[in-house]
Structures are given as C-alpha cells and as structure tokens.
Amino acid sequence: MVEGEAKPGLSSSRFAKEGANSPASPSTAETERMVREHGDALWRFVMSRTRSVELSEDIVQETFLAAIQGGATFSGLSSERTWLLAIAAHKVADQFRNLRKRAGRERAAAHVTPKAIEEGSEFTAGGKWVKPPVEWTNMAENEGETREMLVAMRACLDDLPPSMAEVIWLRDLLNIPSEEVCKSLGITPTNLWSRTHRARALLRRCVERVLGFEKDGGD
Amino acid sequence: MIQFVREIIRILGMSCRDHAAVTSRELDEPLPRGLRAAHRLHVLYCRDCARFRKQLRTLRDAVARIDEVGAQAGSMPSEIRERLIRRLETESEKK
C-alpha cells in the first residue's frame, strides 16, 4: 500500500515562522543570491533523484518559487539551504506520487528490482520475527562492499513508496528536525515516528534482498 | 521507584516487533530511562534484534553518503541558471 495520497505541493509557509515580519517577496538581488548560493546544491539533489534535466529544471524552479512566494522566511531550526532542500524533497516526492498514479500499479522507475520492496509484516501476530535479519558481512569496514551497499540502498530508496522515501530524505539525509518535518507534512510526531520506522524497516529489508543476503534467496 | 519497576516489567514484556520500533525511535530521540534500559537488555540477549539495530544504524549512516553513487549531477548548467533567475524575477514582479 502506498501511504498518503498526493497532497498539495509543500507550501514553503509551512516551514515559515508564523507571524514572521519579513517582506512579501525578496528583491531581485535576493532572488539571484538564493539561486547562486543554493542552485547547485538543489540541482544535484533533484537531478540525482529524477535523472532528468527537464524535470529537474521544473522542480528547482517550483522550489524557488515556493520559497519566494511563501515569504522567504523559514523557521530558523535549519539553514536556508536545508529549508530549500526540504521543499525540493517534497516536490520530488510529489512528482513520484504523480508518476505512480499515472502508471497505476506499474513501477515508476524501470531500473529497480521488482519485489525488492516487500511490505508484508516481518513479524508474526505474536510479534516474533518471521524472517530475522541476516548478518551482513563487514559492510562498514570494506570500502568496496560499502559502495555495493550504497548502490543497493540507492535503488531501494528509489523504489520505496514516495511518502516513505520522503521521510528518509528529510530525516536521515537532510537531518531536518522532527518538529519541522511534522509541520511540513502535516502529520503528528507519532505518525512521523511510525512512518519513519516503516520506511527504515522496508529499506533494510530491500537492501538485504538486493545484496543477496536473504536466506531463502528471495524472488 | 515502584512505578519505574512496573514500567520495566511492562517493557520487558515487549515483543521483537515492539523493540524494532524502539530501535528506529532511538535513532531520532533519546529514549526514556526505563525504555532505554530494557531495550539495551533485550538486544543483549536477542541476536535478531541486535542485528536489526546494527543494520538500521549502518543504513542511517550510509544514507548521508547516498549521493556518492548514481547520477553525478554536477553543477546546474549556466543556461538553466540564467533562465531560472529570469523566470523567478518575472514571477516576483507579478506579485
């Protein structure tokens, strides 16, 4: 199941400090500064997820527009760049949600391993492991194997339901504080906690399958 | 104190499914004292949950390095940057 249907695009005002008394929109010079300072970081973030120049251009533009039209203020809990990246993350997730909707149950990205993401419970009704985690061989110690894991993780992240991938980008990649993520996604801390846990568990299981550690050989 | 002990007993009755959720929660925030103690104890004797905990930490640390693999996007092409600035300025003026 895909949690969370497409929501309206992230309003930058959700990241804004309520009642902030800044100007309604930044000056031309300010706009140019934002693009020059953060354009490359946003571009890399979006390009590495969409792998499309056209799509990335649209998303980066929408991100800056949302930031500018939202009053260009942010909570101050994170840096300006993190705030922009968080808006971009939501735009990318929205894009993937739309792609999935259009593709029905087909996978949005053709390169991902089918069935790598498996959403069934890992536990029995009594809460015991059905398929306990398998030992991964020295992943953190061997650079080659770490790289292999990164590649597997990247493919798995791309294949996670967008609402799941989004919380991993926001929390673990961009380190956005939980309160800010809750505000931006319009969910409670409990919902965020449970969604993040599900996302990490799915990601772990997927990586285990892709790396071939799963005992029964998987699919 | 009695309440603390009661809490420990309740937590000790938690299943592996519950501890898996606690493992993720621990990555995000400090756990309450009783829960932290019971969770540490659980992963001492439960090999599966200990492994899960280790792997979740490995993955969380690896996510920060995710952009080392895959598309090497580089910088925003200058023509896209200039186009973007022009469009944003137009939009700002519309407001």
Side-chain angles (χ1 to χ4, degrees), chain A residues 67-88:
Chain A
I68 291 166
Q69 291 171 347
T73 59
F74 57 100
S75 70
L77 287 171
S78 50
S79 70
E80 185 176 64
R81 175 167 299 178
T82 306
W83 168 63
L84 288 167
L85 284 168
I87 300 174

Side-chain angles (χ1 to χ4, degrees), chain B residues 11-22:
Chain B
I11 295 169
L12 287 176
M14 282 168 51
S15 66
C16 289
R17 178 176 45 215
D18 300 329
H19 279 286
V22 173

Side-chain angles (χ1 to χ4, degrees), chain A residues 24-25 28 31-32 35-36 39-40 43-44 47-49 53 57 60-61 64-65 68-69 123-127 129 132-136 143 146-147 149-151 153-154 157 168 171-173 193 196-197 200 203-204 207-208, chain B residues 15-18 20-28 46-49 51-52 54-56 58-60 62-77 80-85 87-89 91-93 95:
Chain A
S25 64
T28 302
T31 301
E32 203 169 325
V35 173
R36 298 215 181 277
D40 283 344
W43 180 258
R44 279 192 288 271
M47 256 304 272
S48 65
R49 274 147 200 92
V53 172
E57 185 175 352
V60 170
Q61 183 183 319
F64 277 115
L65 271 178
I68 291 166
Q69 291 171 347
F123 299 95
T124 63
W129 288 99
V134 180
E135 183 67 42
W136 298 355
E143 191 52 36
T146 303
R147 194 165 176 79
M149 188 188 69
L150 287 176
V151 172
M153 192 168 68
R154 186 176 184 100
L157 257 178
I168 292 200
R171 290 291 297 125
D172 295 343
L173 182 63
W193 175 44
T196 311
H197 166 52
R200 287 174 180 148
L203 181 64
R204 189 209 67 81
V207 168
E208 190 166 275
Chain B
S15 66
C16 289
R17 178 176 45 215
D18 300 329
V22 173
T23 295
S24 177
R25 182 177 163 191
E26 198 188 16
L27 294 178
D28 293 318
C46 177
R47 194 189 52 178
D48 297 335
C49 286
R51 207 171 264 165
F52 181 79
K54 188 177 161 197
Q55 291 172 354
L56 232 53
T58 303
L59 285 177
R60 197 268 314 264
V63 167
R65 296 180 57 192
I66 193 79
D67 286 331
E68 288 176 21
V69 294
Q72 295 298 313
S75 304
M76 185 190 290
I80 292 183
R81 182 192 309 273
E82 297 314 317
R83 195 156 57 221
L84 176 64
I85 291 173
R87 279 193 202 145
L88 293 174
E89 285 170 356
E91 288 298 323
S92 296
E93 282 160 14
K95 275 201 86 178

Side-chain angles (χ1 to χ4, degrees), chain A:
Chain A
M1 71 147 223
V2 173
E3 189 192 329
E5 280 306 309
K7 300 185 199 93
L10 178 72
S11 155
S12 58
S13 61
R14 282 184 177 167
F15 276 90
K17 191 188 282 175
E18 279 169 34
N21 54 350
S22 67
S25 64
S27 65
T28 302
E30 178 65 1
T31 301
E32 203 169 325
R33 177 196 64 78
M34 281 171 84
V35 173
R36 298 215 181 277
E37 250 176 55
H38 308 301
D40 283 344
L42 279 180
W43 180 258
R44 279 192 288 271
F45 179 83
V46 176
M47 256 304 272
S48 65
R49 274 147 200 92
T50 65
R51 299 183 177 91
S52 154
V53 172
E54 292 76 20
L55 205 51
S56 298
E57 185 175 352
D58 287 348
I59 292 176
V60 170
Q61 183 183 319
E62 282 175 26
T63 301
F64 277 115
L65 271 178
I68 291 166
Q69 291 171 347
T73 59
F74 57 100
S75 70
L77 287 171
S78 50
S79 70
E80 185 176 64
R81 175 167 299 178
T82 306
W83 168 63
L84 288 167
L85 284 168
I87 300 174
H90 196 79
K91 300 276 178 206
V92 172
D94 261 353
Q95 185 64 40
F96 287 162
R97 272 189 276 266
N98 292 337
L99 278 177
R100 282 180 178 240
K101 258 190 178 173
R102 230 176 292 155
R105 294 189 62 81
E106 284 174 35
R107 307 236 157 224
H111 65 278
V112 283
T113 319
K115 290 189 190 171
I117 297 292
E118 209 179 48
E119 291 216 45
S121 176
E122 293 194 276
F123 299 95
T124 63
K128 291 193 183 336
W129 288 99
V130 175
K131 280 186 195 167
V134 180
E135 183 67 42
W136 298 355
T137 50
N138 298 328
M139 271 299 160
E141 288 148 38
N142 179 319
E143 191 52 36
E145 286 180 343
T146 303
R147 194 165 176 79
E148 198 187 333
M149 188 188 69
L150 287 176
V151 172
M153 192 168 68
R154 186 176 184 100
C156 289
L157 257 178
D158 287 351
D159 202 31
L160 277 185
S163 58
M164 301 279 169
E166 187 175 24
V167 290
I168 292 200
W169 295 337
L170 293 171
R171 290 291 297 125
D172 295 343
L173 182 63
L174 301 175
N175 287 318
I176 311 263
S178 302
E179 345 39 305
E180 209 164 334
V181 175
C182 285
K183 249 193 277 173
S184 78
L185 301 180
I187 58 178
T188 64
T190 310
N191 286 343
L192 174 65
W193 175 44
S194 126
R195 195 188 294 186
T196 311
H197 166 52
R198 273 170 43 75
R200 287 174 180 148
L202 282 175
L203 181 64
R204 189 209 67 81
R205 199 159 160 197
C206 174
V207 168
E208 190 166 275
R209 289 172 73 94
V210 172
L211 290 176
F213 285 130
E214 201 170 67
K215 272 177 190 163
D216 63 6
D219 41 304

